[in-house]
Amino acid sequence: MLIYMIRRLAQSVGVLLAMSMLVFASVYLIGNPADILISMDADQTERARLVQAMGLDQALPLQYWNFLLHALHGDLGNSFVHGVPAITLVFERLPATLELACVAMLIAIALGVPLGLWAGLRPHSWVGKGIMTGSILGFSLPTFWVGLMLIVVFAVQLGWLPAGGRGPTREVLGLSLSVFSLEGWRHLLLPAVNLALFKLALVTRLTRASTHEALTQDYVKFAHAKGLSPARVVGVHVLKNILVPIVTVVALEFGALVAFAAVTETIFVWPGAGKLIIESIGSLDRPVIVAYLLVVVSMFTLLNLLVDIAYSSLDPRVRLDEQSA
Amino acid sequence: QELRIGLSSNPSSVDPHFVNNDAISAVVSHAYETLVALDADARLTPALATSWRAINDTTWELKLRDGVKFHDGSPLTAQDVVFSLERPATIVNSPSSFAAYTRAITGKKVVDRLTVQLMTATPAPLLPNDLTRIFIVSRKSAEKASSDDFNQAKVQAGTGPFRLVKFTPGTGVQFTRFDGYWGAKPTWSGVTLRALPAESARMSALLSGDVDLVENVQANLVSQFRQNRNLSVFTKVSSRVMFLYTDHRESSPFVTDKDGKPLERNPLKDARVRQAISRLIDRSVLADRVLDQLGVPTGNLAASGMFGFNPELKPDTVDVQGARQLLAEAGYPAGFGLTLFGPNDRYVNDKQVAQAIGQMLTRGGIVTKVQVSPMATYVGRASKKELGFGLLGWGVGGGEPSGALRGLLATPDKERGMGATNWSSYSNPQFDALLNEALDTVDDARRETLLQKATALALKKDYAIIPLYHQVSTWATRKGLTMVPRVDEFTLAQQVRAEAEDRK
Amino acid sequence: MTTMFEEDESPLRRLLRQYARSRLAVLGAAVLLALMLAALFAPLLAPQNPYDLAQLDILDSRLPPGSHGGDDAAGHGRLYLLGTDDQGRDMLSGMLYGLRISLGIGVVATLAALSLGATLGLLAAYAGGRLDALLMRIVDIQLSFPAILVALVLVTLLKPGVGNVAIALVAVQWAYYARTVRAAALVERRKEYIEAAQGLALSDARIVLRHLLPNCLPPVIVVAALQVANAISLEATLSFLGLGVPITEPSLGLLIANGQQYLLAGKYWMSLYPGVLLLLTILAINLVADQLRDVSNPRLQKQ
Amino acid sequence: MDTVTPLLELRASTKRFVRKPDAAAKIARLFGASVPSRTVHAVDDVSLAVRPGEVVGLVGESGCGKSTLGRMAAGLQALSEGERWWQGENAELRRRRLSASEHRRDMLGVQMIFQDPYASLNPRMRVRQIIGEAPVAHGLVDAKDQEAHVAALMQKVGLDAGFMRRFPHQFSGGQRARIGIARALAVRPRLLICDEAVAALDVSIQAQVINLFMALREELALTYLFISHDLGVVRHISDRVVVMYLGRVVESAGADALFGQPLHPYTEGLLAEAPKLEVRKKAFVAIQGEIPSPLNPPRGCHFHPRCPRAMRRCAEEVPALARVAGDRWVACHLVERMGGA
Amino acid sequence: MTSASQPVLLVEGLKTQFATRAGIVKAVDDVSFSIERGQIMGLVGESGSGKSMTGYSLIGLIDPPGQVVAGRLRLAPRTGEVLDLRRLSPRALQGVRGNRIAMIFQDPMMTLNPVLRIDTQMIEAVRAHHRVSERVARERAAAALAKVGIPSPHERLLAYPHQFSGGMRQRVAIAIALLNEPDLIIADEPTTALDVTVQGQILAQMQGLCRASGTALIWISHDLSVVAGLADTVSVMYAGRIVEQGPVAEVLDRPRHPYTRGLIASAPSRNPRGRPLQQIPGMTPSLLALPQGCAFQARCASANAVCRNEPPLVALDGRRLRCFHPTPLPSSCTIAN
Ligand SMILES: Nc1ncnc2c1ncn2[C@@H]1O[C@H](COP(=O)(O)OP(=O)(O)OP(=O)(O)O)[C@@H](O)[C@H]1O
Ligand SMILES: Nc1ncnc2c1ncn2[C@@H]1O[C@H](COP(=O)(O)OP(=O)(O)OP(=O)(O)O)[C@@H](O)[C@H]1O
Ligand SMILES: [Mg+2]
Ligand SMILES: [Mg+2]
């Protein structure tokens, strides 16, 4: 386990380093942040002053080196646009994104697992086939389009739910969350459903495939032969086995969900980190882009680790230190 | 009674001196005021200063309004003014500093509690205009405060009709009425500004009653909103002018012959070609069809009615025949090829406009490709002069077009801050001379004439850039509200009233 | 000598036969085929070349389905069966060409990503050791970036354009294939037929190309079919974010994105029709890929 | 005695599978974590000689290293220690001496036939390719003669040459085993290593394949290393039998001698346990205990924890494989003593 | 009690078929047999001959599209009642499975659920049929483990399957089968994947346990020699049908069906060393394309036109036989000795 942790840690440091380098280089190549940030009617002197203030006048490797030095002290630089530490900005916005992603994931799991089980247990029934075909729809509809449709139907036509924004929030454990009020949920529902749709399809199909697979296994037959009730066979023997792939995928997809939230957040004006990153890419706010990616990739890595640990508790056959590098 | 406004921007700060950005200034204007203000038509009007005059070529004297109280309870004094004029330069990490507007001031003198003198090194006719940008804050509160303190509403340093309650980045800003306001008591007990940059979300928010007022109505919805019984629409020709810049250099990237092979000589260098381009563009179709009437064809930089507007410069009308003739005279009877660049996320229907222009030019024989990209990438390439032909907008701010002429058309000169955005590489000594003279002229009438002359020279004679139209700003409110729309596009709760109350 | 197998059937035929068992999948294949043909012959089928600005008339913009254009020499404009978009582009033509671009990008990007990923994955698996470790670390890094962000940054970097969107999609997907192919190759490599080939002193290149590759690819190809749909979807999202294909040569995704701002104004056709076409395309691809995956599953093949 | 030069010989050969600790593990060690480096002694100091024309049977329980030994013999797996000799010459030196193509010839001289008739044929190749690829690639047969060559081979192993264009999945298990044999024969080997080549087949088919092996031996003067856990089969076709237990050879003798009078207690148990058709209502009394893991084999004689006659010495000292009589070798302290007495 | 006269299980005319697209697969075709208490029946035949399907049919675990289409399955458990297994409701059948009839599968690596601990898997098997506390169930589980020779059973209960070797797992599976003291155990090739010495251990234990508890056992195998040493009676299956059935000594020493005879004759031990083995020519036919009449006719030396008719299962010489040309007795006697 220790070795495993060391290995993972070394890997993540490598990943983060490589990533920061890539982001640095690519933002540099996309354009000069000064061009977009500085107001058009500023003159050359003003420009020069700002470019210097942002450290953009130095050679790129030097900029990167300075960044690294500061990063080692936990300082990822100030946002060019907002003037505040980029990392603060990201952490300020992250709870909203996490909240959205969690609710979306919960929706996906709460609906996807039962649907997938049903389809897996009765693959030839019409309901089962219907679920599978329906799940393809989840894959097929571009998120942004569904989002707009949801807004048009539920906010504009029916007027049931607000078209965008986040409801009132409450501080809980230092996170401002909006799930504690009805209004909060009203705001949360549409974007969460929008975000959940793709994952719902994924979870459904995965569950079905795993169920299908598990059902052909000898241990299921053996469980039946023991005289267990079908409910127990499915609820304990099958479920516990399909949990392994589901947990893996769900956790890994959670990272993707956070990343993909960018689109949903833009459409629903959800004040989360995804919207921040889109805005930051738009304004070449490099410190924020770097900080965001660092946070997201760290989260990915952490999730990966957690998955592996969860894995070993769910599937006793997996022993962490035996996964060869 | 509270007013809820849907903004099309997402304010990143509410420190009035942090970032020089119109959208933020508009938000901040609820709580802070300037010495000199612009009225709805961008004419200078007294605000915290009741009067200002040049006592000589390099000294301005301002009289402050008496009885003005800051939100923190302290009264407005000359000391606060001096502090406020110095503060922008102390904010180092600002991405776009207000210091540009205070740099001309070389000395400040407190004459008495309500009188300030500002000294400049050279004549500074535009100082009052510059002062419309600088918000006055209470020295008592702001002296030790950081931008963060402003954002967290820890300091209450403004004099405006509203007081900041809460600023939530990415979500919006909340204000409440300031009862000690010196001017007319605001109608609204509170104002909520919600950041709704996504157009459809903003429109839906109005339609579903989540907000009372939105700015920048989606162009294609304007006529529909006008007919909607529950909504009112307000429009105003804005000071933002849209134009095409053309490359005046010997050769230009992306200029090709009709088959896409690079041309040795840059046709755009020929004024006749530029004129031909101008004539190929049907500005009324752009304004009426593409922009859903959110544009007014123009041949000027300043909007009509603004200081420096030249009524003699009429927008070119479409004249395909004439244009072809001009092209033939210039040696391109068969036309040539161009790529038109532009942003796709900045101006009203910008990408549609670019494509429509592409159509018009192509039909006139100038085969045009259209490439639009987000402003971030576009500006980066354009400012390096990698692009030869592009669409750009310019908010002619500060009440007169000198800034625009200086930035866009003057021969680049780093020392004097000229031609910083002269992407077309236009250079005409005659124009530079006119402009320089205007910039040193304190006498308003004479300056206006000089500016008009300079504009005419660059736009009509040289076709240095090709003005297209002025954008029309739009607002929509729920029925029962009226507002006074502003040429500078600011959305201010101060200018919104409930109709019923008006009748009372 | 008698045998259990009467038919001398090739794997392809067997695959087809098993594929044909699902009516839905056959329908999907038919639709997909039709769509591909439509895309291929778009220039012949489309009433207008929607990419030629000279053929567009801004005065015909935003016409509802079934309208006639006004600006025609004869006085009667042409018929716009599915209406026009905000540039006066015939929606039908735009959709046919857009389908061509979307499908093209999806297929080309997926094929390129597959070839690149498969090559590297095979290399890693067969060579093992340091090369393997290095390649897999790169894959890890690539996979730990959220796809949409990579694409976003890349397209911004490379400047929008059909080719660059495809490159971005390749960059997003290759690692996935590399990992999948490597995993498959590691399994296959242990099988005895590879050992037998080594025992027969065949060259490494021959073993990799003739023995290993053909056995690793089929499952990956099926996954790739699904990924085509993903790629199309991602391209649409990029276009929606203003970073996709050139505005004058819209893909389906861009048509939807452009049309969506007219939804509230009731001009549904500008985004609904391309939306439905996109949906249909992706649905068809998924149906086909799904069935392919089912029939290529050896567990199901035995019966 | 050993006047005939063995065709193939493994001398004191060992195969270890080690998982090397990587950088992370080394760091962990620095922190004082005990990181076991895992070593599997799959084959431990085994010598084996196969003389021309002989059939050597190799028996032992699962995981005792039979396949690994087979692969080492076939040259498919490098030796950790020891030497492999081919035709009386150290294979390593020979390889250096020979040109690449001659070396390839050498490799072709030993062919392996695998246990799993499903996994050992490339499922995406036609039979013609499977059998005909190598001879053409090595220039043994012209490309245009490939078909005839394959047809002849198929005939030889009892397959209808008309099936040449089929894929492996279109054959039954027994037929696939024949294809595997034909593939090996196609390169005219001298030694065939059959790794559980009949284990997966039904009894009735098994007989057919065994008969085929025996017929080919006569016809082509083949030598066999015949690996199997089925004592009945080994007994039937082998001249000499080698018994392995947990990576080591415990007994080796002529088939008659070994089956007639097993000397090693393990061989004894093995023979006793093998079910026989003739024995009815047998009271099974098995060798006690489980097979230990090769990851941490017991000290001393590997078999001692399960040996009914184990002594103190057995737990401490590894018994050497000693010649008892003639061609008969045993590794057991008991037997040694017997021999000494 | 009537136990002496009444068999624990009586199977008559069992037919199990799979309706596939390619046609109907008659996996089990008209199979009949009966087993007495404490008796061990060997069920042999080559791969695909329907041995497992026979077993699954008995406990109603045929997967769709398979279906038991005909036959009587009568179980007479110790409790005294007589159950018609085919008529039982799914619930009642569930009460029989694992309780009155237990089954053990071939692959010891696959039969235990890899993600559940042994105790979970054993306790649930007890509590599915008996209302006992968990503690009691655990005790029973530990006792069962001890019975199959697993040392320190209480600790081993806490382990996961992957921590056991194959032989141990198979013993756990056997322990689970024994938990509820069933009347019948169906063992589907439980030692095929195991080594000879481990197989020996398990065979020894099974034998002892059946003797001790009077449980009847159906031992499915393709290995005649295992059955020879273990079973009392043997049924030989070919292509879904029982072709010969009777006491082990009768059938193995004096086989009268050509297939049985061929099978026995092809065993290496029945052949002189180094000589070609006797072999059955041809291959197992596909169940989809069985010839009219006797399924073995294509491989049978004595087949003639009569064999195109369906051979009935007839009693002959203390056995039952499905052949028109039974092998004359003396010839096989010589081989036996
Ligand atoms: N590539 C490998 N890496 C690590 N260990 C291996 C490898 N190959 C074999 N082993 C180990 O070496 C030992 C001997 O394996 P081998 O396959 O030779 O046994 P075997 O006698 O052929 O067994 P079986 O009868 O099951 O085929 C086993 O414990 C196995 O786990
Ligand atoms: N799901 C199914 N669909 C069609 N046929 C099937 C199915 N399952 C089994 N069969 C057929 O039923 C027949 C009997 O199978 P069964 O598993 O009983 O054989 P077996 O004698 O147990 O063989 P083995 O020794 O290989 O276990 C086989 O020929 C098989 O083809
Ligand atoms: Mg082996
Ligand atoms: Mg079976």
Side-chain angles (χ1 to χ4, degrees), chain B residues 15-270:
Chain B
D15 178 341
H17 296 145
F18 182 68
V19 47
N20 173 18
N21 166 305
D22 279 357
I24 293 179
S25 291
V27 169
V28 168
S29 291
H30 289 93
Y32 299 89
E33 290 170 302
T34 51
L35 290 168
V36 184
L38 293 175
D39 68 8
D41 291 311
R43 296 272 171 183
L44 303 183
T45 87
L48 293 180
T50 49
S51 70
W52 55 92
R53 68 192 172 93
I55 50 178
N56 59 42
D57 256 9
T58 57
T59 311
W60 286 86
E61 184 177 273
L62 298 103
K63 289 281 182 206
L64 302 186
R65 194 178 292 277
D66 198 3
V68 174
K69 267 222 186 77
F70 284 106
H71 299 162
D72 62 8
S74 57
L76 168 76
T77 68
Q79 297 295 341
D80 294 306
V81 172
V82 171
F83 172 77
S84 301
L85 291 177
E86 279 167 357
R87 188 167 178 264
T90 64
I91 294 175
V92 284
N93 57 354
S94 163
S96 181
S97 171
F98 282 101
Y101 301 116
T102 59
R103 194 168 315 117
I105 304 170
T106 50
K108 308 175 192 73
K109 192 164 145 204
V110 175
V111 178
D112 60 41
R113 196 177 62 91
L114 293 177
T115 311
V116 192
Q117 284 184 358
L118 302 175
M119 272 69 82
T120 56
T122 53
L126 292 183
L127 194 66
N129 300 65
D130 286 347
L131 290 177
T132 63
R133 309 278 192 151
I134 307 292
F135 293 98
I136 302 303
V137 299
S138 152
R139 177 175 169 179
K140 181 182 144 209
S141 300
E143 204 163 26
K144 300 220 166 54
S146 66
S147 284
D148 246 10
D149 296 331
F150 275 90
N151 289 343
Q152 289 170 15
K154 283 190 191 146
V155 287
Q156 298 287 345
T159 59
F162 298 98
R163 210 154 49 71
L164 177 68
V165 176
K166 191 167 180 221
F167 165 57
T168 322
T171 302
V173 194
Q174 247 179 302
F175 293 102
T176 180
R177 179 157 58 202
F178 172 49
D179 290 323
Y181 184 56
W182 57 269
K185 185 174 178 247
T187 325
W188 310 103
S189 62
V191 180
T192 305
L193 305 177
R194 284 183 53 193
L196 295 169
E199 232 168 27
S200 46
R202 192 165 68 249
M203 298 307 112
S204 318
L206 177 70
L207 288 171
S208 60
D210 282 358
V211 295
D212 304 314
L213 183 157
V214 293
E215 56 182 19
N216 292 338
V217 179
Q218 193 173 313
N220 58 63
L221 286 177
V222 170
S223 60
Q224 191 182 324
F225 278 15
R226 280 210 171 101
Q227 283 156 20
N228 189 326
R229 289 159 178 282
N230 303 320
L231 304 176
S232 313
V233 175
F234 300 87
T235 58
K236 177 96 182 169
V237 177
S238 108
S239 59
R240 190 183 303 280
V241 62
M242 301 296 300
F243 59 91
L244 299 170
Y245 60 86
T246 49
D247 202 338
H248 294 232
R249 291 174 298 183
E250 281 304 324
S251 71
S252 176
F254 302 109
V255 179
T256 62
D257 66 7
K258 286 189 97 158
D259 302 323
K261 290 195 206 71
L263 279 182
E264 241 165 68
R265 207 159 53 94
N266 175 11
L268 293 174
K269 205 171 149 30
D270 193 320

Side-chain angles (χ1 to χ4, degrees), chain D residues 61 211 255 281 287 290, chain E residues 171 197 201 232 273 277 279:
Chain D
E61 276 167 314
N211 285 348
K281 283 283 169 194
I287 300 178
E290 306 290 325
Chain E
R171 264 176 263 176
T197 57
Q201 293 169 4
D232 303 304
R273 247 183 49 117
L277 298 168
Q279 63 183 53

Side-chain angles (χ1 to χ4, degrees), chain A residues 18-19 61 74 102 107 127 163 191-192 201 207 215-216 242 252 256 274 289 294-295:
Chain A
M19 198 212 65
C102 285
I107 294 177
V127 181
T207 310
L215 283 180
T216 63
I242 65 173
L252 293 183
I289 303 177
L294 282 178
V295 168

Side-chain angles (χ1 to χ4, degrees), chain C residues 117-118 120-126 132 136 175-191 212 215-216 219-220:
Chain C
L120 293 177
L122 265 185
L123 206 64
Y126 198 75
D132 184 22
M136 285 306 113
Y176 178 75
Y177 294 115
R179 190 141 97 172
T180 318
V181 168
R182 175 179 175 268
L186 283 180
V187 172
E188 290 298 321
R189 208 169 88 101
R190 300 243 164 80
K191 294 220 174 128
L212 203 51
N215 284 295
C216 298
V220 184

Side-chain angles (χ1 to χ4, degrees), chain A residues 178-192:
Chain A
S178 69
V179 288
F180 300 104
S181 62
L182 183 67
E183 196 53 31
W185 273 101
R186 277 173 31 91
H187 281 85
L188 190 52
L189 202 60
L190 285 186

